[in-house]
Amino acid sequence: MRSSQNKVTTLTAAIASLVKNNCHLSIGGFTINRNPMAAVYEIIRQQKRGLHLYAHSNGQGVDELIGAGCVSRLEIAYAGSGRFAPTCIRFRRAVERGEILVEDYSNYQMTLRFMAGAMGLPFLPTRSGLGTDIIRHWGFAKSLRKNDNGLPDQKLITIDNPFGDWCDSPKLVLVPAINPEVTIIHVQQADRRGNARIQGLTFADIEQAKAARHLIITCEELVEEEFLKREPDRNQIPFIHVDAVIPITWGAYPTACYRHYDYDPRYLNNYRQTAEDEESYQTYLVEKIMGCANHQEFIALNDDEHLKNLIADPETGYATGLKRN
Amino acid sequence: MRSSQNKVTTLTAAIASLVKNNCHLSIGGFTINRNPMAAVYEIIRQQKRGLHLYAHSNGQGVDELIGAGCVSRLEIAYAGSGRFAPTCIRFRRAVERGEILVEDYSNYQMTLRFMAGAMGLPFLPTRSGLGTDIIRHWGFAKSLRKNDNGLPDQKLITIDNPFGDWCDSPKLVLVPAINPEVTIIHVQQADRRGNARIQGLTFADIEQAKAARHLIITCEELVEEEFLKREPDRNQIPFIHVDAVIPITWGAYPTACYRHYDYDPRYLNNYRQTAEDEESYQTYLVEKIMGCANHQEFIALNDDEHLKNLIADPETGYATGLKRN
Amino acid sequence: MIKKEEIETGYSRREMMTIAAAREIKNGEIVFCGTGISMLAAMAAKNISAPQSTIFFETGAIDSRLDEVPLAVADSRVMHATAVNGGLAEAFATMQNRFTGSRVVGILGAAQIDIYGNLNSTAIGDYRQPEVRFSGSGGACDVASFVNRTIIFMQHEKRKFVEKLDYFTSPGWIDGPDGRQKIGLGSGGPETVITNLGVLRFAEESKKMYLAACYPGITPEEVQLNTGFTLDLEQAEVFPPPTSTELKILRQRCDPQRLILD
Amino acid sequence: MIKKEEIETGYSRREMMTIAAAREIKNGEIVFCGTGISMLAAMAAKNISAPQSTIFFETGAIDSRLDEVPLAVADSRVMHATAVNGGLAEAFATMQNRFTGSRVVGILGAAQIDIYGNLNSTAIGDYRQPEVRFSGSGGACDVASFVNRTIIFMQHEKRKFVEKLDYFTSPGWIDGPDGRQKIGLGSGGPETVITNLGVLRFAEESKKMYLAACYPGITPEEVQLNTGFTLDLEQAEVFPPPTSTELKILRQRCDPQRLILD
């Protein structure tokens, strides 16, 4: 499939065929930017269960998947949505209630774990984490690890530098690779074969993409291959890694997509309030998410004027002067 | 110096102050592309001696430095100039005569060594090299390593995967970081503070740049900071790594500089013939290199018509239809 | 909403904290910012006393212009007019890098801090089923491990300044002057803790936190009362209040919408 | 300069070698190319039988268009109209990657080869002061370690097909069927050796090289005479000569200036 010349499909089909119950899934984006939200909502609609989810610092996407009951296990560095939710609400509740198992890493550790996966290595070293509870406390017990061959037998391993005092690093933490069964990222532009261009910060999306067995790319714009090939210095993901391409405008909404639209402060503030209350959260899920057949319908819940305010200014890449209180 | 707002200087001053005799130097570029040739020739003019040189696959730059007697030790993966010299001539001769010490790595190993340096790590792992003489044969003896605190005590170390069979990698080769005292790269565009943009392939230049204690950037074009900041996705090196910026047109000549000019087949073919003969090589050094006060004079040895033929076609980035026999 | 303290002094505690942190930033430094008040402190420093400091985010943005205050480190506002837009890999490598990391000052926050400046931003109670769960390390553990010095923002409450952390997320001085060296970390460590009551630093010989200054109107005893371990109060001075220039720049240039200040 | 063989057959040995290698490349494969003839073989395959193969260079170029033949893997010609222009780090990661590496076919050359397809491209004689020094591994050791299968180009001479390599640069089958596994490498290994005399492959049970085919006009005995170890000659067929279409495309589309073919 990865050498196919046309990978364009529907989100419904891609999620149905690649995101299985209990699978190991990684989603791109960071807190309130470029989360693959259309895909997240489709996963919720298809009522996937038991997902083993990986992210580094993810906010909205992770919180909605947890809130909808799709997630059993989570490996993460940070679950927050910036000022809109310093700690994600449904994440916090699920962990405190013991509804999901969570295993903590630092942001760089998660980045290196995806990078190791992308590089085809079992681990990468870092000095981050030495002496901390991130090493001492495991979220997943040894037995759970043994029974899932998608997990390494150990969380993190501290070693002495085999090169002695080279680089003034007497000790290193080895972080094990992640090779998710599926990664989903949202990008600004892709072509039918799957070549992709991210504008602005790439976060750890490239590493997450290349570490995965299967890669789903949702994109704001489907463009011609020739268009991307005119400036290949600006592309990051070659088609050889890609399984499915789905063009979806507003595909990251309510999170931001640099140079296309900003995050929606109204949505994110409402979400925080809604997420705090069990009943209103269930109503939100039923009406806003399950109640829409697809992302287009979900976006259409907004009036045009509201969406227009979120459109990025071509100069700065965000909605300059947007009311964000 | 690295936080200075204006790092523009002359090549003469930058080489004189940063490239000391016997220092550990790394140069960017790959075989016949984007070698920092203006800097190489200036090093030759200043008659630097005893350099400990690092490259991955470098052709022209390495060969000229060796030919001029500047180099004592070399760590490298590949010394060749493509079809113009499958093995670099002066390199080959110097090694066969025992005039320089050389230590061999693979291209990925060298890349990872620079990457480790850039990441502030003492080593990175790979599966490349397992079972080969690249691990068994050291170019530098233990005693030499002990006496130079710029070198790790061991060349390469093979370990068992501490995560067992995770990622089907029972064994790994650990490659030690390189932190050169100075790296020199040639880029297409830079601003006065040192922000830099490479067009086309980056080779391992970014890793080499960030691994170094001091970084000299030569650039085809000195541009305004605002120009680079308008499209930061296309920049690779932020000013915080940079010590000196020197604008030099044709700074990579006779190697290519994508989107600016092609390599010069006539020069490279003549060089190969010249390099084969001891006497003509000494004449070349005296007349062509030492005989020019600077790179501008060296470039001016060519008539305008010849240089015009090398100018890159704006569509393809190279000199389309160039006679290359 | 105007708070009582603001009516009395003409500035809020949050403004005082932001300016206190901004004053710690030296010209030429590379400033690692998290979300919220730390970002505002970096913006204030750049606009007031350290114009050649470089603001830098773990998301990969270096030297962001920040025409508007970002509400998260991944906010598109950090991506505009940067020197380079990279990713997390590049950002953390810059901090772990031996040549650039030593020029980075990190600004962090946490849910708990101990006397050696070690931080918890993960959980209260049992790790696997906590009483209170926080966001997690994010980049905090990385920054605290790599960079030359860190500035820490805290709300000054007894339950937050604790004898023993519920979860050890990010390394401070560990357990004393050679604590970091013993576990394999290089130089660096926390330098200043800025709270809503005053400024704390770490004693050279013990690396224990002491009270360096109280904000005008706060007594050292009040600080001790809100601290879960015994503080050396002997060296406490009165912290110089924000100048009108500092306040003006903070309010008008950095956060005119008061998105973070309120 | 027309060679004797070319007058007799209408094509040169170098053309025969290039086409023999091109025929090994499957549609949909990712083709790692070195400098020279291997690059031409990949171009020929893409233009003849494997239009959906992807040409890829260790320098970081993926899916280069190659309107003109490059004279080195860093030639600016490989940078034009690619899917992505990256660097060495990305290129080798693609080969070491568990999902993409298995779809890469690598084309390599060397100065010496042994019966298990292990390669020397470093030195003849003592490593530290060699009789003959070559360019060194470049990416050869990396490719030979990582990818699923490799095709090797060799000049067929006794001093190049040796019992024991002077320097072991790149792993083939090491010393037999479980050789790679013993040293910690995954699946993959050399599949075909293409020389100026014929095509050699590796026996399934022993992983020893055998003669699979001779070019028209070459006898198995001639091949053995130019090989420094004993070859199984029993399975040698006559290799089908280049078709006129293959020759036409190779000469007109791939290397009209005969920069590599001569």
Side-chain angles (χ1 to χ4, degrees):
Chain A
M1 182 158 181
R2 285 178 167 197
S3 59
S4 152
Q5 299 301 299
N6 187 356
K7 296 170 186 161
V8 173
T9 180
T10 64
L11 195 49
T12 312
I15 300 297
S17 68
L18 291 172
V19 182
K20 307 288 185 197
N21 287 339
N22 309 309
C23 85
H24 286 229
L25 172 71
S26 126
I27 61 171
F30 195 110
T31 58
I32 52 171
N33 211 316
R34 230 168 20 67
N35 284 218
M37 293 308 297
V40 162
Y41 292 132
E42 182 59 27
I43 291 171
I44 295 174
R45 277 186 214 104
Q46 294 192 16
Q47 302 189 50
K48 301 293 181 185
R49 290 293 176 266
L51 297 179
H52 186 112
L53 190 61
Y54 303 94
H56 40 92
S57 281
N58 194 290
Q60 199 61 21
V62 161
D63 206 49
E64 300 229 30
L65 285 174
I66 292 173
C70 305
V71 179
S72 287
R73 304 193 300 228
L74 176 65
E75 303 190 32
I76 201 166
Y78 184 89
S81 293
R83 214 208 53 160
F84 298 102
T87 302
C88 287
I89 314 293
R90 303 305 304 187
F91 156 80
R92 177 180 194 149
R93 194 154 299 186
V95 180
E96 288 171 6
R97 288 179 181 165
E99 292 168 355
I100 62 170
L101 284 181
V102 61
E103 187 159 277
D104 278 85
Y105 295 87
S106 75
N107 248 340
Y108 194 38
Q109 288 169 350
M110 285 306 286
T111 305
L112 291 172
R113 297 184 65 200
F114 290 123
M115 197 190 288
M119 293 167 80
L121 290 171
F123 64 85
L124 281 171
T126 175
R127 286 199 306 278
S128 177
L130 288 169
T132 69
D133 281 346
I134 296 178
I135 294 177
R136 282 186 289 265
H137 287 322
W138 297 13
F140 310 142
K142 266 216 153 85
S143 55
L144 188 154
R145 293 172 180 281
K146 277 278 177 218
N147 293 332
D148 186 339
N149 64 14
L151 294 177
D153 288 348
Q154 294 181 72
K155 186 188 178 191
L156 296 163
I157 296 175
T158 305
I159 62 160
D160 289 330
N161 182 355
F163 291 92
D165 57 0
W166 188 237
C167 297
D168 307 319
S169 294
K171 286 179 189 295
L172 282 308
V173 178
L174 306 184
V175 302
I178 296 171
N179 283 131
E181 289 168 87
V182 189
T183 285
I184 309 177
I185 62 170
H186 184 71
V187 307
Q188 280 85 352
Q189 296 170 321
D191 68 25
R192 292 178 178 279
R193 297 176 79 195
N195 294 311
R197 178 179 298 172
I198 295 171
Q199 295 176 302
L201 299 175
T202 54
F203 308 134
D205 279 28
I206 305 168
E207 291 82 0
Q208 291 179 265
K210 294 183 177 178
R213 184 176 293 277
H214 298 290
L215 175 59
I216 300 174
I217 288 185
T218 61
C219 62
E220 283 299 316
E221 289 183 70
L222 188 69
V223 296
E224 290 302 316
E225 184 176 355
E226 281 314 296
F227 172 83
L228 292 181
K229 287 195 138 194
R230 262 202 296 279
E231 293 183 273
D233 298 12
R234 298 175 63 193
N235 308 335
Q236 297 93 359
I237 300 172
F239 71 94
I240 55 171
H241 297 276
V242 182
D243 291 86
V245 176
I246 303 108
I248 308 181
T249 51
W250 296 94
Y253 177 91
T255 71
C257 186
Y258 184 60
R259 300 221 155 274
H260 287 256
Y261 46 86
D262 222 320
Y263 46 82
D264 185 351
R266 186 179 78 185
Y267 192 101
L268 296 174
N269 280 326
N270 286 344
Y271 178 86
R272 182 186 53 237
Q273 285 164 19
T274 303
E276 290 283 9
D277 180 72
E278 211 53 50
E279 200 173 325
S280 60
Y281 194 70
Q282 294 312 318
T283 309
Y284 162 82
L285 273 179
V286 170
E287 291 179 4
K288 282 244 183 180
I289 312 303
M290 305 298 284
C292 293
N294 53 41
H295 201 61
Q296 288 74 9
E297 280 189 22
F298 170 75
I299 295 298
L301 295 179
N302 295 288
D303 60 53
D304 287 354
E305 195 56 33
H306 180 70
L307 290 177
K308 222 178 92 188
N309 288 334
L310 303 178
I311 303 263
D313 172 67
E315 172 67 22
T316 62
Y318 55 86
T320 314
L322 176 67
K323 200 176 160 314
R324 292 183 290 149
N325 296 84
Chain B
M1 181 159 184
R2 285 179 169 197
S3 59
S4 151
Q5 300 301 298
N6 187 355
K7 296 171 187 162
V8 173
T9 180
T10 64
L11 196 48
T12 312
I15 300 296
S17 69
L18 291 172
V19 181
K20 308 289 184 196
N21 286 340
N22 310 309
C23 84
H24 286 229
L25 171 71
S26 126
I27 62 170
F30 195 110
T31 59
I32 52 170
N33 211 315
R34 229 169 17 70
N35 283 218
M37 293 308 296
V40 162
Y41 292 132
E42 182 59 28
I43 291 171
I44 295 173
R45 277 186 213 105
Q46 294 192 16
Q47 303 189 50
K48 301 294 180 185
R49 289 293 176 267
L51 297 180
H52 185 111
L53 190 61
Y54 302 94
H56 40 93
S57 281
N58 193 288
Q60 199 62 21
V62 161
D63 206 49
E64 300 230 29
L65 285 174
I66 292 172
C70 305
V71 178
S72 288
R73 305 194 300 229
L74 175 65
E75 304 191 32
I76 201 166
Y78 184 89
S81 292
R83 214 207 53 158
F84 298 101
T87 302
C88 286
I89 314 291
R90 304 305 304 187
F91 156 81
R92 177 180 195 149
R93 194 155 297 185
V95 179
E96 289 170 6
R97 288 176 179 167
E99 292 169 355
I100 63 169
L101 284 181
V102 61
E103 186 160 277
D104 277 85
Y105 295 87
S106 74
N107 248 341
Y108 193 38
Q109 288 169 350
M110 285 306 285
T111 305
L112 290 172
R113 296 183 66 200
F114 291 122
M115 198 190 288
M119 293 167 79
L121 290 171
F123 65 85
L124 281 171
T126 175
R127 286 198 306 278
S128 177
L130 287 169
T132 70
D133 282 346
I134 297 178
I135 294 178
R136 283 186 289 266
H137 287 322
W138 297 14
F140 309 142
K142 264 215 152 87
S143 55
L144 187 154
R145 294 173 179 281
K146 277 277 176 220
N147 291 332
D148 186 339
N149 63 15
L151 294 177
D153 287 348
Q154 294 182 71
K155 185 188 179 191
L156 296 164
I157 295 175
T158 305
I159 62 160
D160 290 329
N161 182 354
F163 291 92
D165 57 1
W166 187 236
C167 297
D168 307 320
S169 294
K171 285 177 189 297
L172 282 308
V173 178
L174 305 183
V175 301
I178 296 171
N179 282 130
E181 288 168 86
V182 189
T183 286
I184 309 177
I185 62 170
H186 184 70
V187 308
Q188 280 85 351
Q189 296 171 322
D191 68 25
R192 290 177 180 279
R193 298 175 78 195
N195 295 311
R197 178 178 298 172
I198 295 171
Q199 295 176 300
L201 298 175
T202 54
F203 309 134
D205 279 28
I206 305 167
E207 291 82 2
Q208 290 179 264
K210 295 183 176 178
R213 183 176 295 277
H214 298 291
L215 175 60
I216 300 173
I217 289 185
T218 61
C219 61
E220 283 300 316
E221 289 183 70
L222 187 70
V223 296
E224 291 303 317
E225 185 177 354
E226 282 314 295
F227 173 84
L228 291 181
K229 287 195 137 192
R230 261 202 297 280
E231 293 183 274
D233 299 12
R234 298 175 63 192
N235 309 335
Q236 297 92 358
I237 299 172
F239 71 94
I240 55 172
H241 298 276
V242 182
D243 290 86
V245 175
I246 304 109
I248 308 180
T249 50
W250 297 93
Y253 176 91
T255 71
C257 186
Y258 183 59
R259 300 221 155 272
H260 288 255
Y261 46 85
D262 221 320
Y263 46 82
D264 185 352
R266 185 179 78 184
Y267 192 101
L268 296 174
N269 280 325
N270 286 345
Y271 178 87
R272 182 186 53 238
Q273 285 165 21
T274 303
E276 290 282 10
D277 180 72
E278 211 53 51
E279 200 172 325
S280 61
Y281 195 70
Q282 294 312 319
T283 310
Y284 161 84
L285 273 179
V286 171
E287 291 180 3
K288 281 245 183 180
I289 312 304
M290 305 298 285
C292 294
N294 53 41
H295 201 62
Q296 288 74 8
E297 280 188 23
F298 170 75
I299 295 298
L301 296 178
N302 296 288
D303 61 51
D304 287 353
E305 194 57 34
H306 180 70
L307 290 178
K308 222 178 92 188
N309 287 334
L310 303 178
I311 302 261
D313 172 65
E315 171 67 22
T316 62
Y318 55 85
T320 314
L322 176 68
K323 199 175 160 313
R324 293 184 289 149
N325 296 84
Chain C
M1 185 184 60
I2 298 165
K3 292 191 182 133
K4 176 172 153 279
E5 84 231 13
E6 198 165 348
I7 297 169
E8 284 164 3
T9 61
Y11 55 87
S12 73
R13 284 284 161 74
R14 220 164 149 75
E15 287 171 335
M16 178 74 263
M17 290 173 77
T18 310
I19 287 163
R23 288 177 185 165
E24 297 287 319
I25 295 166
K26 296 165 194 152
N27 209 9
E29 273 187 319
I30 305 166
V31 187
F32 168 91
C33 302
T35 298
I37 190 167
S38 76
M39 204 174 308
L40 209 52
M43 284 175 80
K46 192 158 172 73
N47 280 294
I48 302 168
S49 53
Q52 279 165 36
S53 57
T54 301
I55 299 180
F56 144 79
F57 297 96
E58 63 188 314
T59 42
I62 294 201
D63 202 24
S64 309
R65 180 177 294 161
L66 298 190
D67 295 332
E68 294 188 6
V69 64
L71 297 186
V73 295
D75 194 314
S76 297
R77 284 154 190 79
V78 310
M79 306 182 191
H80 175 52
T82 63
V84 175
N85 275 336
L88 276 70
E90 289 85 3
F92 288 110
T94 299
M95 290 187 269
Q96 201 176 214
N97 182 293
R98 301 166 77 201
F99 310 117
T100 43
S102 59
R103 287 146 56 210
V104 175
V105 53
I107 316 183
L108 301 173
Q112 287 183 330
I113 189 169
D114 71 13
I115 199 165
Y116 295 107
N118 305 305
L119 305 177
N120 171 13
S121 48
T122 305
I124 303 286
D126 175 59
Y127 172 60
R128 289 208 199 164
Q129 197 159 344
E131 288 160 49
V132 190
R133 172 68 210 204
F134 302 107
S135 60
S137 159
C141 172
D142 308 312
V143 176
S145 301
F146 298 154
V147 311
N148 200 41
R149 63 190 193 102
T150 53
I151 298 166
I152 301 160
F153 275 114
M154 291 294 299
Q155 281 298 312
H156 218 133
E157 298 172 34
K158 210 162 187 152
R159 61 187 183 122
K160 287 173 179 279
F161 283 70
V162 296
E163 284 281 358
K164 188 170 165 24
L165 303 175
D166 281 63
Y167 185 99
F168 189 130
T169 311
S170 306
W173 297 109
I174 314 292
D175 58 2
D178 58 351
R180 289 175 72 90
Q181 208 188 330
K182 276 189 299 186
I183 62 165
L185 288 173
S187 56
E191 200 174 82
T192 311
V193 181
I194 291 168
T195 81
N196 49 317
L197 301 180
V199 173
L200 303 100
R201 299 188 193 273
F202 296 86
E204 196 53 44
E205 53 315 329
S206 68
K207 294 300 180 192
K208 286 187 182 176
M209 202 187 296
Y210 70 90
L211 183 64
C214 301
Y215 299 142
I218 307 287
T219 63
E221 292 66 32
E222 208 174 331
V223 174
Q224 179 61 74
L225 217 59
N226 286 285
T227 305
F229 47 80
T230 306
L231 278 176
D232 171 5
L233 308 174
E234 291 305 306
Q235 304 168 64
E237 300 174 355
V238 176
F239 198 79
T243 67
S244 59
T245 311
E246 284 172 329
L247 280 173
K248 191 174 150 198
I249 292 174
L250 179 62
R251 290 169 183 173
Q252 294 180 5
R253 284 253 286 277
C254 301
D255 189 12
Q257 282 195 72
R258 299 192 75 80
L259 293 168
I260 309 250
L261 282 175
D262 282 349
Chain D
M1 184 184 60
I2 298 164
K3 293 190 180 134
K4 176 171 151 283
E5 83 228 15
E6 197 164 348
I7 297 169
E8 283 164 5
T9 61
Y11 56 88
S12 74
R13 284 285 160 74
R14 220 164 149 76
E15 287 172 336
M16 178 75 263
M17 289 174 78
T18 310
I19 286 164
R23 289 177 185 164
E24 297 287 320
I25 294 166
K26 295 165 194 152
N27 209 9
E29 274 186 319
I30 305 165
V31 188
F32 169 91
C33 301
T35 298
I37 190 167
S38 75
M39 203 174 311
L40 209 51
M43 284 175 79
K46 191 157 172 74
N47 280 295
I48 302 169
S49 53
Q52 278 164 37
S53 57
T54 301
I55 299 181
F56 144 78
F57 297 97
E58 64 188 313
T59 42
I62 294 200
D63 202 25
S64 308
R65 181 177 293 159
L66 299 190
D67 295 332
E68 296 188 5
V69 64
L71 297 186
V73 295
D75 194 314
S76 297
R77 283 154 190 80
V78 310
M79 305 182 191
H80 175 51
T82 63
V84 173
N85 275 338
L88 276 70
E90 288 84 4
F92 288 110
T94 298
M95 290 188 271
Q96 200 176 217
N97 182 293
R98 301 166 76 202
F99 311 117
T100 43
S102 59
R103 285 147 56 209
V104 175
V105 53
I107 316 184
L108 301 174
Q112 287 183 332
I113 189 169
D114 70 14
I115 199 165
Y116 294 107
N118 304 305
L119 304 177
N120 171 14
S121 49
T122 305
I124 303 286
D126 175 59
Y127 172 61
R128 290 210 197 163
Q129 197 159 344
E131 288 160 47
V132 189
R133 172 69 210 203
F134 302 108
S135 60
S137 159
C141 173
D142 309 310
V143 176
S145 300
F146 298 154
V147 311
N148 201 41
R149 64 191 194 101
T150 53
I151 298 166
I152 301 161
F153 274 115
M154 291 296 298
Q155 281 298 310
H156 218 134
E157 298 173 35
K158 209 163 188 146
R159 60 184 184 123
K160 288 173 179 279
F161 283 70
V162 296
E163 284 281 0
K164 189 170 165 22
L165 303 175
D166 280 62
Y167 185 98
F168 188 131
T169 311
S170 306
W173 296 109
I174 314 294
D175 59 1
D178 58 351
R180 290 175 71 91
Q181 209 189 328
K182 277 188 300 187
I183 63 165
L185 288 173
S187 56
E191 200 174 85
T192 311
V193 181
I194 292 168
T195 81
N196 49 318
L197 300 180
V199 173
L200 303 98
R201 299 188 193 274
F202 295 86
E204 194 53 45
E205 55 310 334
S206 68
K207 294 300 179 193
K208 286 189 182 176
M209 202 189 296
Y210 68 91
L211 183 63
C214 301
Y215 298 142
I218 308 286
T219 64
E221 292 67 31
E222 208 174 330
V223 174
Q224 180 60 76
L225 216 61
N226 285 286
T227 305
F229 47 81
T230 306
L231 278 176
D232 171 4
L233 307 174
E234 292 305 305
Q235 302 166 66
E237 299 174 355
V238 176
F239 199 79
T243 67
S244 59
T245 310
E246 285 171 329
L247 280 173
K248 191 175 150 197
I249 292 175
L250 179 62
R251 290 168 181 173
Q252 295 180 7
R253 283 254 286 276
C254 301
D255 190 12
Q257 282 194 73
R258 298 191 75 80
L259 293 167
I260 309 254
L261 282 175
D262 282 348

